[in-house]
Amino acid sequence: QVQLVESGGGLVQTGGSLRLSCASSGRAFSSFAMGWFRQAPGKEREFVAGIAGISWRGGTTRYADSVKGRFTISRDNAKNTVYLQMNGLNPDDTAIYYCARSPYGTIDFNVGNVVWGQGTQVTVSS
C-alpha cells in the first residue's frame, strides 16, 4: 500500500515562507503525478498544485490561480519526494495541506484510487 507522509507545516507570519515535503513509500514514484491540496475550516478541499509524472511531460506543473507566482511544486524522484515551496504567505493560505498521488502520470485527481497523505497544518498569522 502506498503511503504519503507530509511534513514542513507550521506557523509563519504574513509574507513568510514554508516548504512542505511529501515522502512516498510507493513504487514507481516517478511515473505518477503528484499534487497538493488544502482545506481550510468550513471550506471545501481545493487543488493547489500538481506535477506530472516523468513518463508524461515530466516536470509539467499546474497551479491554482490563487497561488500562481507564489507557490512552486517540484519533485525529487530519487528521494520519492514532492515539495511545495510557499512564498509570500498570507492568512488565506491557512489550511491543512494534503499530498496526493494520482493513479496516472497526468495531473488528474478527480478519479478513483487517489492516495492521500494525513495532512500538515499551515497557519499564517497577521
Side-chain angles (χ1 to χ4, degrees):
Q1 183 70 38
V2 175
Q3 289 185 309
L4 305 176
V5 181
E6 301 98 331
S7 62
L11 175 65
V12 66
Q13 296 277 357
T14 296
S17 298
L18 286 172
R19 188 178 76 158
L20 306 183
S21 298
C22 173
S24 174
S25 65
R27 295 183 177 183
F29 171 81
S30 64
S31 297
F32 299 98
M34 301 293 296
W36 290 95
F37 291 73
R38 67 187 182 186
Q39 186 168 23
K43 295 187 177 181
E44 297 282 342
R45 182 183 63 195
E46 65 174 346
F47 172 80
V48 175
I51 184 166
I54 193 170
S55 61
W56 187 87
R57 293 184 175 181
T60 298
T61 58
R62 185 182 303 154
Y63 298 92
D65 289 341
S66 60
V67 307
K68 286 181 179 177
R70 298 189 298 121
F71 291 10
T72 302
I73 188 170
S74 62
R75 64 195 298 163
D76 186 337
N77 292 322
K79 296 181 178 179
N80 280 20
T81 302
V82 63
Y83 304 95
L84 184 68
Q85 178 66 46
M86 305 185 294
N87 299 324
L89 288 164
N90 60 68
D92 290 337
D93 296 316
T94 295
I96 300 175
Y97 284 71
Y98 297 92
C99 181
R101 178 185 182 272
S102 172
Y104 305 109
T106 54
I107 306 173
D108 295 312
F109 296 95
N110 191 26
V111 295
N113 298 317
V114 172
V115 179
W116 299 92
Q118 83 289 343
T120 186
Q121 176 70 231
V122 171
T123 303
V124 185
S125 62
S126 301

